[in-house]
Amino acid sequence: MAVLDQIDQSDQIDEPARGHRPRDGGRRRTTGRPPWMGTPSPTTRALKVVVIAMIGVVMLYPFLYVIMFSFADAGSVTSGQLIPTSFSTVAYESIFAGGVVTRSLLVTAGVTLVGTTLSLFFTAMLAYGLTRTRDVPFAKGAMVLVLCTMFFGAGIIPNYLLIKQLGLLDSYWALILPGLISAFNMIVMRNFFMELPQELLESSRIDGASEFRIFFSIVLPLSKAVLAVIALFYAVGYWNSFFNALLYINDTTKWPIQLVLNQYVVQGSALSDLQAPDRPAPPAQTVQMAIVVVATIPILLVYPFAQRFFTKGVLTGAIKG
């Protein structure tokens, strides 16, 4: 009987561990999970939706405001309406007929296309070369020099004197060559290359493939994600850059769109230079808004095509482990 009593007592002790209802008034056992990992209540979810919606409105309203007033009719602008009630394309017709904005867009598009292509090519070449630290002479020293450029810079005056001595003033190359290779982008791409299967590269070398053949036939096709991300980084940088043009470009016919935006919207220069002389002048506010839209929309249209590569390209290239 004593043995049976001990068995009954052990069963009572092990009852909660076996999944039976605890004898504590029916209270739930704690799972040990953090509060933020649990299922939120309906009130909490509704509050989150409201907060996210408010943040979205705050972020989107300025952009929608610029677009609406770029199409606003003269009557809506002069009456001080918060939301225009009548719309017109006079501002866009005026700036495109003037020729200044059209020419600056072509300049910016050309610089962005050529600069992104060259930057992507040379960054990939440098990143791949620095992955071969055992085979490439002075690879570690070159890596240190590249890293130093992230922390130390010559300054505006030495850079200007260098561009002047190279004869690049009033040249489109002055907008491309100073920022041809970004140290940060190179490091991201190098880490991505180091995550590629080395067995595949070694087998190609055993088969007699040269490093150029491996780079163009194996490494680049396997690196589409990081190439797309870095290309977008470079494209956004070239498209939005105006400081180099402000320093090195004196010929107004070679101004990029961002310098035109800075000159006529931020600095407040006479907008009559942007408009055709035979057309009626629209309100200055609509012209400024139209320039902002023209300078912003093209690069925004590129983002959705590269968005799906962001997670894989950035995380794989930025984290080495």
Side-chain angles (χ1 to χ4, degrees), residues 60-301:
L60 291 177
Y61 177 74
F63 188 67
L64 296 177
Y65 176 86
V66 170
I67 295 179
M68 287 188 298
F69 269 91
S70 67
F71 287 99
D73 188 73
S76 298
V77 176
T78 55
S79 61
Q81 297 177 358
L82 185 61
I83 298 178
T85 55
S86 58
F87 299 92
S88 174
T89 59
V90 175
Y92 290 94
E93 295 174 1
S94 178
I95 61 175
F96 283 118
V100 176
V101 174
T102 305
R103 184 172 59 248
S104 63
L105 279 176
L106 294 176
V107 170
T108 303
V111 170
T112 301
L113 181 61
V114 176
T116 302
T117 303
L118 293 178
S119 295
L120 194 63
F121 175 75
F122 286 106
T123 302
M125 291 281 287
L126 178 61
Y128 179 69
L130 293 181
T131 60
R132 308 288 299 167
T133 54
R134 297 181 180 179
D135 302 329
V136 178
F138 308 108
K140 293 184 178 180
M143 186 67 183
V144 173
L145 290 177
V146 172
L147 293 177
C148 287
T149 62
M150 298 180 62
F151 306 104
F152 306 100
I156 297 176
I157 296 178
N159 286 333
Y160 180 84
L161 294 177
L162 175 62
I163 296 298
K164 182 179 180 180
Q165 291 296 324
L166 293 176
L168 297 179
L169 292 180
D170 279 336
S171 172
Y172 295 128
W173 291 111
L175 306 179
I176 298 175
L177 295 181
L180 189 64
I181 297 179
S182 168
F184 173 79
N185 293 340
M186 190 281 298
I187 293 173
V188 172
M189 193 173 294
R190 176 181 179 271
N191 290 342
F192 189 95
F193 289 163
M194 295 181 70
E195 293 294 326
L196 295 178
Q198 298 300 316
E199 297 81 4
L200 178 61
L201 305 183
E202 291 297 334
S203 63
S204 302
R205 295 188 182 96
I206 294 175
D207 292 338
S210 63
E211 293 297 334
F212 283 99
R213 180 67 181 275
I214 295 173
F215 176 72
F216 288 105
S217 301
I218 299 177
V219 174
L220 292 185
L222 293 177
S223 307
K224 294 180 180 179
V226 72
L227 290 176
V229 173
I230 299 302
L232 184 60
F233 286 167
Y234 277 124
V236 171
Y238 282 115
W239 185 275
N240 292 331
S241 177
F242 82 96
F243 191 67
N244 284 348
L246 185 65
L247 291 178
Y248 308 133
I249 305 298
N250 298 319
D251 188 357
T252 57
T253 61
K254 297 181 179 180
W255 279 3
I257 185 63
Q258 298 300 334
L259 191 54
V260 172
L261 178 66
N262 176 74
Q263 189 70 24
Y264 293 98
V265 177
V266 179
Q267 301 297 332
S269 298
L271 296 175
S272 57
D273 299 338
L274 302 177
Q275 304 165 8
D278 57 342
R279 290 177 175 270
Q285 183 179 0
T286 60
V287 175
Q288 291 176 341
M289 298 300 180
I291 299 174
V292 173
V293 172
V294 168
T296 307
I297 290 296
I299 198 63
L300 286 181
L301 297 179

